[in-house]
Amino acid sequence: MHWIFAFGPYIVAGAIVGAGLLWHYDRKQLVAFYDAHTTAQQRATIAQDVAIIRPLAEAAVPYVEQFWGQLPGAQKFTQAVEHVITALGQRGIAPNPHIVRAEVQKAYAQAKVDGTLAASAHKPSSPA
């Protein structure tokens, strides 16, 4: 049992790398599996949800960075997810929280690549 603590992180890292390689090299079969196990209506519903959630997630990321930039990353992520869920709830839409989390995570990754994440970060005011 002691070996789990010694090798556990390596096992998890190996599983993540393995899943990434599987996705990279076997994507067509994974997409075919997804298509075979979901109906066209389910795929259309997911696409519609993403079309509504994605712009809100992309707007929530710089908003959270601007107002809660001093928080740790996990708390900023939670704030962004809650912001999107609240905005949709005010419009009478009950979103799938898994899709919201995925879209916020994607928006954060894109903002890091674009450089907009650093540009929108809260900057303390300098004394005059």
Side-chain angles (χ1 to χ4, degrees):
M1 193 65 166
H2 205 266
W3 64 272
I4 290 178
F5 296 110
F7 297 108
Y10 297 109
I11 293 170
V12 171
I16 291 170
V17 168
L21 288 173
L22 178 68
W23 174 253
H24 180 73
Y25 291 111
D26 205 17
R27 187 174 315 155
K28 288 181 183 177
Q29 287 185 356
L30 291 172
V31 170
F33 177 83
Y34 171 75
D35 289 342
H37 290 84
T38 57
T39 65
Q41 183 178 7
Q42 288 171 326
R43 289 190 299 275
T45 301
I46 291 170
Q48 183 180 7
D49 288 350
V50 168
I52 294 169
I53 294 169
R54 182 169 291 153
L56 288 172
E58 290 171 349
V61 168
Y63 174 78
V64 167
E65 282 296 323
Q66 181 73 32
F67 291 101
W68 291 288
Q70 73 282 3
L71 294 176
Q75 289 179 350
K76 288 189 282 189
F77 177 78
T78 302
Q79 283 286 35
V81 169
E82 289 175 1
H83 181 72
V84 171
I85 290 174
T86 301
L88 290 169
Q90 290 173 344
R91 290 168 179 81
I93 300 171
N96 181 334
H98 299 295
I99 295 175
V100 173
R101 284 188 201 96
E103 288 303 316
V104 168
Q105 189 171 20
K106 184 184 253 184
Y108 265 111
Q110 188 62 42
K112 284 182 183 178
V113 169
D114 294 346
T116 57
L117 194 60
S120 66
H122 176 72
K123 296 172 183 60
S125 59
S126 60

